[in-house]
Amino acid sequence: FAGYISQVLKNYTDHACDGEYVSLRCPHRTTISIQSSFYGRIVPSHQLCPSRYPHSYATLIKEDVACSVGTSLQKMLDECQDRRSCQFLVNSRLFGMDPCPGTGKYLLVWYKCRPNEYKSKVACEDDKLRLSCKKSMVIAIYSAIFGRTQGGSLECPYQNLGMPMIECQSATALQLMTKRCHGKRSCSIYASTYEFGDPCYPGIQKHLNVIYTCGGSQSLLPGNEEMASG
């Protein structure tokens, strides 16, 4: 079960240069959840993805190190989101217009592995959040946010007191929820600044949003032989 938790909570990072394949993969009973993506170049080629041109030619063209496309996240969502694995060849044609012809580019992608079956629970500030699983099942926390998100929360509508719609989140919410609930059949915690600290300005209403799954200790274990080879 501890192995499953570590895979689910882990943030994966992968990269591929132009002309290489990018390959993302998640363990059994989880799927890819794209967190962020970048395609272009922001560091010189001697640091990442060396130029494939002959050195004499490479010195003639000025390498662009402020080059990026705005479509890389959407492309990764289209190709990989909610799949167990995905693989494709990286080149500028995938992303539409080439922002810097003559400069070799690369793809960076950050993703997590989300349980196929998961639940979401929200508690408004100072309310109690209680998680529970059926008999012989235990809790695995996938994500936890305490603070205020840009879109707000339908369950906890904010009173607009002239406060700007800023985003502020506790950096320790996931760690705290995992410590309090991981591997237990049930747990409870108050969505309070006493527990999580106050990541926002005073007076800004906050909420706690937790995504978790229930499973038996054996049924949740991924295929270890697959993960070892990945």
Side-chain angles (χ1 to χ4, degrees):
F1 184 72
Y4 173 81
I5 286 287
S6 66
Q7 297 299 342
V8 165
L9 297 184
K10 185 177 174 184
N11 282 301
Y12 294 87
T13 307
D14 206 350
H15 86 276
C17 311
D18 276 344
E20 294 179 350
Y21 281 92
V22 67
S23 180
L24 313 185
R25 196 159 55 124
C26 281
H28 288 304
R29 299 183 184 89
T30 67
T31 53
I32 295 165
S33 174
I34 300 293
Q35 305 294 300
S36 185
S37 175
F38 170 86
Y39 177 72
R41 177 171 289 282
I42 51 172
V43 296
S45 56
H46 65 81
Q47 289 183 21
L48 183 63
C49 296
S51 172
R52 290 182 297 160
Y53 297 114
H55 183 68
S56 57
Y57 177 69
T59 57
L60 296 175
I61 56 168
K62 178 73 175 159
E63 190 172 64
D64 189 342
V65 289
C67 166
S68 66
V69 298
T71 55
S72 67
L73 177 58
Q74 188 57 54
K75 184 63 182 174
M76 290 305 302
L77 290 170
D78 293 344
E79 294 285 341
C80 301
Q81 185 76 354
D82 297 329
R83 297 183 183 181
R84 169 93 192 282
S85 63
C86 66
Q87 183 177 9
F88 57 89
L89 185 68
V90 174
N91 61 56
S92 59
R93 288 188 298 277
L94 274 174
F95 301 98
M97 285 284 289
D98 190 338
C100 47
T103 291
K105 292 165 283 291
Y106 51 83
L107 175 70
L108 294 171
V109 59
W110 295 266
Y111 68 102
K112 294 180 81 168
C113 294
R114 179 167 56 197
N116 290 347
E117 294 180 19
Y118 58 90
K119 308 165 193 281
S120 178
K121 255 198 168 174
V122 174
C124 306
E125 187 169 3
D126 295 328
D127 288 348
K128 183 188 274 189
L129 180 82
R130 186 172 189 275
L131 308 182
S132 62
C133 294
K134 293 175 184 173
K135 195 174 179 180
S136 78
M137 306 281 265
V138 289
I139 297 164
I141 302 291
Y142 172 70
S143 72
I145 293 169
F146 177 74
R148 181 170 180 160
T149 52
Q150 197 70 45
S153 164
L154 292 174
E155 293 90 342
C156 310
Y158 299 127
Q159 296 170 351
N160 191 350
L161 303 173
M163 287 284 191
M165 275 306 292
I166 56 168
E167 195 166 297
C168 44
Q169 295 178 17
S170 164
T172 58
L174 177 59
Q175 186 182 356
L176 182 59
M177 286 304 303
T178 302
K179 186 177 177 182
R180 191 69 64 92
C181 300
H182 154 62
K184 296 180 179 176
R185 191 182 156 198
S186 67
C187 64
S188 60
I189 191 168
Y190 280 97
S192 67
T193 54
Y194 175 78
E195 294 280 10
F196 295 94
D198 195 342
C200 308
Y201 289 109
I204 290 180
Q205 293 166 290
K206 294 163 284 289
H207 66 272
L208 175 63
N209 184 7
V210 177
I211 296 174
Y212 69 104
T213 189
C214 292
S217 56
Q218 290 308 310
S219 68
L220 281 178
L221 284 169
N224 293 327
E225 71 292 338
E226 274 197 40
M227 293 311 297
S229 63

